[in-house]
Amino acid sequence: MTKTELLRLIKEKSSFLCVGLDPSLEKLPAHLQKGPDPLFEFNKIIIDHTIDFAVAYKPNLAFYEALGPRGLESLEKTLEYIPGGVFTIADAKRGDIGNTSRLYAKAFFERMDFDAVTVAPYMGEDSVMPFLGFQDKWVILLGLTSNFGSLDFQLMKTENGKCLFETVLEKSQKWGNSDNMMYVVGATKGEKIADVRKIVPGHFLLVPGVGAQGGSLEEVAKYGMNKDCGLLVNSSRSIIYASSDKDFGWAAKQEASKLHNTMEDLLEKYCK
Amino acid sequence: MTKTELLRLIKEKSSFLCVGLDPSLEKLPAHLQKGPDPLFEFNKIIIDHTIDFAVAYKPNLAFYEALGPRGLESLEKTLEYIPGGVFTIADAKRGDIGNTSRLYAKAFFERMDFDAVTVAPYMGEDSVMPFLGFQDKWVILLGLTSNFGSLDFQLMKTENGKCLFETVLEKSQKWGNSDNMMYVVGATKGEKIADVRKIVPGHFLLVPGVGAQGGSLEEVAKYGMNKDCGLLVNSSRSIIYASSDKDFGWAAKQEASKLHNTMEDLLEKYCK
């Protein structure tokens, strides 16, 4: 998907909601657990009930790999089920030496046709570049994550006085541009999002951590939105586990709708 | 596998060779490519011909994920085929927020029963700790990788005057110990391995990059060996692609045997 198409999508749906498709088998409603493909059946219902409110879906690979080959099948079926024209993100946090990164890129962009994949920056330029060689595909590079471990290295100062994550944002801008690269920036640190915006004014930010991880949507928009919106805000557990009963689809719809209403207001307020 | 068992294995085989099982479908000998499970058939022959010389096998996940669910099946079959008592490493370079890392850990340690998994440190302590909660299992944390992208961040100085990779080594020693944690240190930087040894004298180092990536085995042993050996040196392409013909198993055997001979001498020279 191109940036123009993504912007149109956000405008049409008045939303920048990304739904995290992270189903743990043991947390699924009991009546689904015994079916032939519980993860896919669950995702299907979540997608059906949230598609009016979401511009993107983001399955995290761990939830599928945990089930082995069968889990990957559920993932592939899920991806096929997501209607065309919606942005899809493989949350995989990959990154390896060049020829190996290229294989991961082919897996996510060619075999599975995701629009984007999350990539870890630790191994540097040649571990990221292979993901950038695909038409209309995106790298979403880890910048500042929402977990407390972000204090260990990402927020450590380098000799130039900047934090490591700031250096990652700066250097990586030479590898791609705002048409093929986004950054993961955790929502639990509102004012930090403002620091990020100074370095990457035009890039989209993928913001996890709203809801279960404690971030505030209002803060994210206030500090992170640019004139194009420039945000994809992910919510996973608060939507997909809104109910643990047979009505989980409707409960997910209500949660997604609530977030959508707030997003509509925030787009009106900050993005004109 | 415990450290004691690993040390015994190294002693018994007079080897610290790890064979990287990284088969690309298009590089396999033509007669295998059309079979029902080319990756597994290839790995089987590589394992049969190198088992006398290798103490460890390290499949890189990208090569299997590139083929989707079928690739993961080849991986699982490969892992089952590797004889007991050999150290097995999932080269996956994973790392995510805690509950997600836990799922990856369960996939590699419980579902697949690998002895070790490679983990990327960028997300910090709580992304690594979930991998450390498994009896007799190992985290192999990326320290200094062998690609040129290591210059971008790993070799960047932090405000305390140390390189990022040195800070990763220091901090992460509080998360685990030399009984459940190793470090990836690229072989293309012999003298850097000496710097690493000063920080982690007792830990095993997994050294990729000997052979195709340009590192020298003699240098690695000189700078990196400790009294327990403390090294697993990986070779992938130079062994598995020693021949592209039907005789690839025998060619792999010859290459592995050569490396084994050198390793035997190096163990004699540096590790008493």
Side-chain angles (χ1 to χ4, degrees), chain A residues 58-103:
Chain A
K58 179 176 76 63
N60 185 306
L61 268 283
F63 292 81
Y64 303 88
E65 290 191 359
L67 301 185
R70 194 162 64 97
L72 268 199
E73 275 169 24
S74 305
L75 176 64
E76 294 193 352
K77 279 161 74 182
T78 298
L79 192 64
E80 277 166 33
Y81 188 77
I82 295 172
V86 178
F87 196 73
T88 52
I89 303 165
D91 195 359
K93 301 185 176 73
R94 300 296 196 260
D96 209 308
I97 58 172
N99 65 337
T100 311
S101 271
R102 199 164 297 116
L103 280 171

Side-chain angles (χ1 to χ4, degrees), chain A residues 65 122-123 125-126 143 147 152, chain B residues 65 122 125-126 143 147 152:
Chain A
E65 290 191 359
Y122 189 72
M123 292 180 68
E125 181 174 354
D126 57 333
N147 62 323
D152 286 320
Chain B
E65 290 191 0
Y122 189 72
E125 181 174 355
D126 57 333
N147 62 323
D152 285 319

Side-chain angles (χ1 to χ4, degrees), chain B residues 167-229:
Chain B
T167 311
V168 167
L169 298 178
E170 282 174 4
K171 278 210 176 180
S172 60
Q173 282 183 78
K174 294 176 195 136
W175 309 340
N177 55 52
S178 69
D179 288 326
N180 63 4
M181 206 171 212
M182 306 184 179
Y183 294 99
V184 173
V185 181
T188 46
K189 307 175 182 76
E191 76 289 357
K192 281 287 171 205
I193 298 182
D195 296 346
V196 169
R197 263 292 165 240
K198 283 180 207 148
I199 307 173
V200 286
H203 287 68
F204 262 87
L205 308 179
L206 171 63
V207 184
V210 168
Q213 290 174 55
S216 139
L217 190 50
E218 168 75 36
E219 272 212 336
V220 170
K222 183 175 160 191
Y223 293 113
M225 217 173 247
N226 65 17
K227 68 170 183 27
D228 286 337
C229 175

